[in-house]
Amino acid sequence: MSRSDPGSAHLTREPAFAEPWHAQASAMANLLVASGVISGAHWSETLGAKLREAQLVGQPDDTDTYYRAVLSALESLLDQARAISGNELIQRRDAWERAYLRTPHGQPVVLNGDF
């Protein structure tokens, strides 16, 4: 098959997500909307606001900025919904950082009940 053959399109596509955490953040947002913890409209409005904030402070229009906005929107909405306290969020963020720092390059980051 040549690269111009429509049947070979799957061979030249880039991954849907640049990093595993991008997929995880998207999955969390989808789950929270699907389970009714947050509304789809509120999610969309909050993510849009976070992206506009990033643009206003000169962040590049790239994948990393987008997913950082996704995380920020998730944190804001979970805080507003009182689904997780600010203290719990800090503990979880710290646990993820510790797990990340002790994980060998190329291996998945795993939490072992660190929070």
Side-chain angles (χ1 to χ4, degrees):
M1 279 187 204
S2 72
R3 289 192 180 261
S4 61
D5 178 10
S8 68
H10 70 281
L11 299 176
T12 59
R13 277 192 222 146
E14 294 196 20
F17 298 99
E19 300 287 339
W21 72 269
H22 295 170
Q24 293 166 340
S26 293
M28 283 189 277
N30 289 337
L31 179 62
L32 291 168
V33 170
S35 65
V37 173
I38 57 176
S39 74
H42 203 187
W43 166 248
S44 179
E45 291 166 6
T46 305
L47 178 57
K50 295 297 182 180
L51 289 168
R52 285 187 297 280
E53 288 174 14
Q55 183 181 28
L56 288 172
V57 297
Q59 295 294 313
D61 184 9
D62 63 12
T63 303
D64 191 50
T65 298
Y66 176 81
Y67 284 102
R68 289 189 185 282
V70 167
L71 287 177
S72 182
L74 282 170
E75 289 174 355
S76 293
L77 289 168
L78 289 172
D79 184 51
Q80 291 171 16
R82 302 223 190 294
I84 184 171
S85 72
N87 191 38
E88 285 177 300
L89 183 60
I90 290 168
Q91 289 174 348
R92 289 182 188 195
R93 187 180 295 147
D94 290 348
W96 273 106
E97 183 177 5
R98 286 190 306 274
Y100 168 79
L101 292 173
R102 72 172 176 256
T103 301
H105 179 73
Q107 298 298 311
V109 176
V110 177
L111 286 175
N112 295 318
D114 289 349
F115 58 94

